[in-house]
Structures are given as structure tokens and as C-alpha cells.
Amino acid sequence: MIHAGWIKEENARVFCEILASLIGYEFDDLDWQAVETGLLSTDDEQEERWYGYPLVGETARLDFRLAQAVGGSVISVEVYGAVGDVLRGQVELACDVAAAYGMSR
């Protein structure tokens, strides 16, 4: 695992786009529709109800899992992949920023 934490719900799409851009993948509306639909029935307190999505870019592959926090306005996230220290740090920073600040496209 590269990183586990949470992000603000309103930052979900931008967070996905940032992860994609880090590896040279163009995250588009169809990707977002899949993630947004997948998130609807998630529950971060039930392991089997997390939603996973792969990003296969030009430089690496990242797999992430998302689940809504019950009764809250945050999304729990886990990011996986075989990456170097630089990309690991970038993913961690993206998660930290998406948890602390409002982000827009």
C-alpha cells in the first residue's frame, strides 16, 4: 500500500484526476461516472463494500479504493502500486491536500 487516509467528499473527482496525472493517465468523464456510481453503495466500515478502480498510465499503475464514511462528509481512500519514493510522496501529498483543503477543477 502506498497510502491510506481520507479526503473531503467534494474533492473526490479532483483527487482522482491528480492521481491519474501523476502517472500519465487521462482521467475523463467516463472514468468519473464509474467512480461516482461505484461510491454510491460504499461503506468504509465494511471491507467488502469499498469500491476499487485501476489507473494504468504511461509511467505506472495505481489502484485505489474508496468508501464513504458513514454519517460523514469524507471518503476513506487507499492507494496501491509498485512505485518509487518520489511518486509515493506525491500520492501522499495529494491525499493530504485533498483532506485539508477545498479543491476545484
Side-chain angles (χ1 to χ4, degrees):
M1 181 182 312
I2 297 171
H3 187 74
W6 60 272
I7 62 173
K8 292 181 177 183
E9 189 172 13
E10 66 266 18
N11 291 338
R13 180 168 181 160
V14 175
F15 174 73
C16 293
E17 291 173 350
I18 291 169
L19 288 183
S21 72
L22 292 174
I23 60 168
Y25 178 83
E26 190 167 328
F27 191 88
D28 61 22
D29 289 339
L30 292 175
D31 291 301
W32 176 242
Q33 286 176 341
V35 172
E36 186 177 41
T37 301
L39 267 171
L40 292 176
S41 62
T42 61
D43 178 345
D44 70 347
E45 294 178 356
Q46 297 181 37
E47 184 70 25
E48 70 279 1
R49 291 189 54 200
W50 282 59
Y51 177 75
Y53 199 78
L55 298 173
V56 180
E58 295 173 8
T59 60
R61 175 185 174 130
L62 295 176
D63 292 282
F64 63 91
R65 293 178 0 115
L66 305 168
Q68 294 179 338
V70 176
S73 60
V74 300
I75 296 173
S76 295
V77 299
E78 296 177 350
V79 183
Y80 298 87
V83 301
D85 290 340
V86 171
L87 183 53
R88 177 180 303 277
Q90 292 170 328
V91 169
E92 290 173 357
L93 179 60
C95 289
D96 291 347
V97 170
Y101 301 97
M103 300 164 65
S104 62
R105 302 175 64 214

